[in-house]
Amino acid sequence: MTTATDLNQPTLQPAAPTGRRMSWPVLLLVIAGALALTSIVRIITGADGITNVSQMSTALQLAVPIGLAGLGGLWAERAGVVNIGLEGMMILGTWFGAWAGFQWGPWTGVLVGVAGGAIGGLLHAFVTVTFNVNHIVSGVAINILALGATRYLAPLAFVGHPGGSAKQSPAVDSLGHFTVPGLSDALRDLNEQGWFLISDIAGLLGGLVTNVSWLTLVAIALVPGTWWILWRTGFGLRLRSCGENPVAAESLGVNVYKYKYIAVIVSGGLAGLGGVFLSIVANPFYLEGQVSGRGYIGLAAMIFGNWMPGGLAVGAGLFGYTDSLNLRGGSGNVHALLLLGALLLIIGAIWLAFRKKYTASAIMLLIGGLVFTWYAATNEVPNQVVSATPYVVTLVVLALSAQRLRMPKADGLPYRKGQGK
């Protein structure tokens, strides 16, 4: 029989994984297949920009704030608290980070921005955990409150300073970037050769070692760090138990309220760090509206990743990549990706037919045929389609992955101390 003492032992093996999980060999095989298919599309269409070093470097920069928001959502929801307020916590991070950054330096801005997001998380925890308010209502309220608060504070803090206005902060000094000498140039040269698959892999790796912010390294390290804390420590086991069965966790001596508070505050801090990235790294200043829905996309990346850090990172990379097409004026690149999308849909239809899901296979095949027709009948796509690509991809990916998802059992459910007695 498991006892409270057992649960508190840090050497306890985490609970058996739930839901359908993809093994690492299969995941690597899928990624390699996707890269090979992308390389074929690049060669057919001549759209070399879809895998060049600059594109991948931009995609990484755009993926980081989405991934940090997703990690924030992961912490909260693993403890049973739905955090729709990630958008507002990112907004708080952008404002507080820029406000402190232009006065006392960028690293101070990072710390203050994280604290700003954590304040939003504390408020969300106070409302949902202590007062048992509906999590969605609380999250939406925080988004509205954060937007209103920063609009009110910006004129008071920024007007009168050089470069400041009611909607923009003064410039913040750079945190610094690094490029791995030798390796970056070698990968760029290899990428420019246009070889099948090899040049595409070189472009992907080149983006990871070219003009990378130090804060990007911190964000990347947080992914395995989160996995280790939540799945390899007693603290993480207790926290996840609050999201699976808080009544059972309480019966084993876990202070459910405490772990929910910790998780949601950490969630806000991570979202705030994503906001800091936007206002110090992506742009060296706060600008009203610069979060632009990334908190919601981060939440979608978390769901796509099945509430796991590795899957979340893949989802953030996918959404960051599609966003980079818009940023770099990728009308031709998006047109080439229509062919990639059509091929993926056709392959998916064949797979569904193999699994004897004939209706779904026929629908997917029809959609794939329509996308291919769109590609064959045009030479480019409208700019409006390019701008909408990240959001369309978000919806499509969530729709296609919905059947394999498994959220924590008590996620979003009301809980009162002692309710199991």
Side-chain angles (χ1 to χ4, degrees):
M1 178 181 295
T2 304
T3 65
T5 304
D6 295 329
L7 190 62
N8 283 277
Q9 291 298 322
T11 57
L12 180 69
Q13 292 296 320
T18 54
R20 298 169 60 186
R21 295 178 58 187
M22 187 179 294
S23 65
W24 275 107
V26 174
L27 178 61
L28 292 175
L29 186 61
V30 169
I31 293 174
L35 281 173
L37 195 61
T38 303
S39 184
I40 292 171
V41 169
R42 173 184 60 81
I43 293 172
I44 292 174
T45 61
D48 294 334
I50 62 177
T51 58
N52 65 24
V53 172
S54 298
Q55 185 76 54
M56 295 302 179
S57 180
T58 303
L60 176 63
Q61 186 178 83
L62 293 171
V64 167
I66 295 173
L68 287 170
L71 275 179
L74 175 69
W75 272 81
E77 299 209 9
R78 278 294 175 179
V81 179
V82 175
N83 193 356
I84 296 293
L86 291 170
E87 181 84 0
M89 295 168 196
M90 288 188 76
I91 292 173
L92 292 174
T94 60
W95 192 91
F96 279 101
W99 170 71
F102 87 87
Q103 298 183 86
W104 303 300
W107 286 109
T108 302
V110 171
L111 297 177
V112 174
V114 171
I119 291 172
L122 176 61
L123 178 60
H124 187 50
F126 183 69
V127 172
T128 57
V129 178
T130 302
F131 289 101
N132 221 11
V133 172
N134 181 277
H135 299 188
I136 304 299
V137 172
S138 173
V140 171
I142 286 174
N143 292 339
I144 297 172
L145 182 63
L147 183 60
T150 52
R151 282 182 175 176
Y152 173 77
L153 292 172
L156 300 177
F158 302 143
V159 171
H161 294 278
S165 70
K167 295 186 177 182
Q168 179 177 317
S169 74
V172 181
D173 292 337
S174 173
L175 287 169
H177 295 76
F178 75 92
T179 296
V180 179
L183 180 59
S184 175
D185 293 334
L187 290 171
R188 186 180 294 274
D189 292 340
L190 190 58
N191 176 246
E192 292 174 352
Q193 298 299 318
W195 294 336
F196 170 71
L197 191 58
I198 296 175
S199 292
D200 303 283
I201 294 175
L204 175 62
L205 297 177
L208 299 177
V209 297
T210 303
N211 200 31
V212 180
S213 168
W214 293 107
L215 196 56
T216 300
L217 288 183
V218 174
I220 292 174
L222 284 172
V223 175
T226 292
W227 173 83
W228 184 81
I229 291 172
L230 294 184
W231 274 269
R232 286 294 181 268
T233 67
F235 168 83
L237 176 59
R238 293 189 289 273
L239 186 146
R240 287 186 293 115
S241 71
C242 297
E244 293 292 341
N245 194 331
V247 174
E250 182 187 357
S251 71
L252 294 173
V254 175
N255 187 333
V256 176
Y257 278 12
K258 182 182 79 171
Y259 281 93
K260 284 180 179 287
Y261 261 90
I262 292 173
V264 182
I265 292 171
V266 171
S267 172
L270 288 169
L273 184 60
V276 168
F277 191 93
L278 291 173
S279 63
I280 294 182
V281 178
N283 296 299
F285 48 81
Y286 162 82
L287 183 65
E288 185 179 304
Q290 70 190 139
V291 174
S292 190
R294 287 180 174 85
Y296 298 113
I297 297 179
L299 196 63
M302 178 205 68
I303 296 171
F304 165 79
N306 209 7
W307 289 264
M308 295 292 293
L312 182 157
V314 174
L318 174 63
F319 301 137
Y321 176 76
T322 55
D323 202 9
S324 71
L325 297 175
N326 178 31
L327 186 65
R328 297 182 61 84
S331 177
N333 292 337
V334 172
H335 182 259
L337 291 181
L338 289 176
L339 177 59
L340 177 61
L343 293 175
L344 289 173
L345 286 167
I346 292 171
I347 293 172
I350 295 172
W351 172 248
L352 288 174
F354 177 76
R355 298 182 64 187
K356 298 182 179 181
K357 297 182 179 181
Y358 299 116
T359 302
S361 175
I363 294 174
M364 188 170 288
L365 186 62
L366 176 61
I367 297 174
L370 291 174
V371 173
F372 180 79
T373 302
W374 184 8
Y375 165 77
T378 59
N379 293 320
E380 60 180 18
V381 295
N383 290 331
Q384 294 87 342
V385 174
V386 178
S387 300
T389 296
Y391 308 102
V392 173
V393 168
T394 301
L395 294 174
V396 171
V397 167
L398 287 179
L400 294 177
S401 62
Q403 292 183 349
R404 69 173 183 85
L405 300 179
R406 191 275 188 196
M407 65 191 297
K409 289 182 179 179
D411 193 16
L413 298 181
Y415 166 78
R416 282 294 184 190
K417 186 175 182 180
Q419 72 180 37
K421 295 180 180 178

